[in-house]
Amino acid sequence: SQKIEQNSEALNIQEGKTATLTCNYTNYSPAYLQWYRQDPGRGPVFLLLIRENEKEKRKERLKVTFDTTLKQSLFHITASQPADSATYLCAFFRGGHGSSNTGKLIFGQGTTLQVKP
Amino acid sequence: EPEVTQTPSHQVTQMGQEVILRCVPISNHLYFYWYRQILGQKVEFLVSFYNNEISEKSEIFDDQFSVERPDGSNFTLKIRSTKLEDSAMYFCASLGGGEQYFGPGTRLTVT
């Protein structure tokens, strides 16, 4: 079955440093990967999407890479701030079969980032 | 900015009772989803809904679960006879522009 794995250990870094989170997947070749932020007791919030033909995508202080050979995506937050502290989820969208099948998101377990001032 | 809303934010129910979780997706979206997250675990897909019918459902979504779009705005998830293991956060999502927008969730506690 398709699996998507993230480092379950929390990542603690100092404010101003770059945080790098890893997402690995197996038994699937997603057309694109998505990254979400989740705060405690809240729903996931979409951050970035990267397609299989894109090596890198940037949005403000965020950068995502996608290596289809390694089956891995890296998520970077540069100049991290305490407000970036949250759980970050990697997900791929598994399209369904047939025109009416909307597909679904398959999530990793998330990596909790703690940025210390 | 439009957003997905969910009610209630927290529901406590006794085992065996029926619950209905409500969602109002973003108004021009056509594809709707329910996901759940047991405390400390992954967000898991339950069901997708399009054109007034279920498009896909997971193994979790057994006969105790049902979804409905009773009018032009609401999207509901019903659990007929709740079990202790149904305790989780339930998230509604709607799809627009290739992006799934999630609601804030309903925390369901079954005692």
Side-chain angles (χ1 to χ4, degrees):
Chain A
S1 62
Q2 297 95 9
K3 280 190 179 179
I4 187 163
E5 299 286 342
Q6 295 181 256
N7 190 346
S8 57
E9 287 184 21
L11 180 64
N12 295 298
I13 64 167
Q14 206 64 38
E15 183 176 8
K17 300 291 187 187
T18 296
T20 298
L21 285 67
T22 305
C23 173
N24 296 294
Y25 59 92
T26 56
N27 297 331
Y28 194 61
S29 296
Y32 51 88
L33 276 169
Q34 304 182 36
W35 284 87
Y36 287 78
R37 170 180 173 141
Q38 187 176 27
D39 290 284
R42 306 291 296 173
V45 174
F46 173 80
L47 295 175
L48 276 171
L49 178 154
I50 184 165
R51 301 182 191 283
E52 60 179 342
N53 60 351
E54 297 175 314
K55 291 278 192 263
E56 183 179 294
K57 198 83 167 277
R58 290 176 187 261
K59 180 181 174 183
E60 297 172 355
R61 294 184 296 111
L62 309 181
K63 184 178 88 170
V64 172
T65 62
F66 191 5
D67 188 326
T68 55
T69 303
L70 291 178
K71 292 187 181 289
Q72 183 181 80
S73 175
L74 299 178
F75 177 80
H76 306 271
I77 305 175
T78 58
S80 59
Q81 303 164 1
D84 295 327
S85 299
T87 297
Y88 291 87
L89 310 177
C90 173
F92 61 72
F93 186 80
R94 184 185 166 195
H97 300 290
S99 59
S100 65
N101 195 314
T102 56
K104 62 193 177 191
L105 282 171
I106 297 177
F107 283 92
Q109 71 269 41
T111 298
T112 298
L113 172 67
Q114 187 71 36
V115 181
K116 297 182 180 176
Chain B
E1 188 174 326
E3 58 181 17
V4 176
T5 59
Q6 290 185 243
T7 54
S9 56
H10 191 189
Q11 173 89 48
V12 181
T13 190
Q14 288 193 324
M15 199 165 52
Q17 296 295 304
E18 173 184 287
V19 294
I20 296 176
L21 310 183
R22 301 180 193 280
C23 168
V24 179
I26 294 173
S27 62
N28 61 345
H29 288 181
L30 301 176
Y31 302 86
F32 314 116
Y33 305 80
W34 283 101
Y35 292 82
R36 80 168 186 192
Q37 187 176 32
I38 294 170
L39 187 64
Q41 297 187 24
K42 295 183 184 186
V43 176
E44 301 174 285
F45 168 79
L46 288 179
V47 66
S48 57
F49 192 86
Y50 169 70
N51 200 25
N52 282 320
E53 60 183 28
I54 289 174
S55 185
E56 185 177 353
K57 57 185 181 180
S58 71
E59 292 174 356
I60 303 166
F61 195 90
D62 61 22
D63 292 344
Q64 294 300 313
F65 290 85
S66 62
V67 288
E68 196 177 35
R69 187 151 163 83
D71 53 46
S73 58
N74 290 285
F75 179 49
T76 62
L77 174 70
K78 182 194 291 186
I79 309 175
R80 268 182 268 283
S81 177
T82 50
K83 304 191 260 293
L84 293 175
E85 54 264 36
D86 293 328
S87 295
M89 283 287 284
Y90 288 81
F91 297 109
C92 172
S94 64
L95 179 69
E99 181 182 329
Q100 288 197 18
Y101 294 81
F102 284 78
T106 293
R107 179 175 298 284
L108 176 65
T109 302
V110 182
T111 61

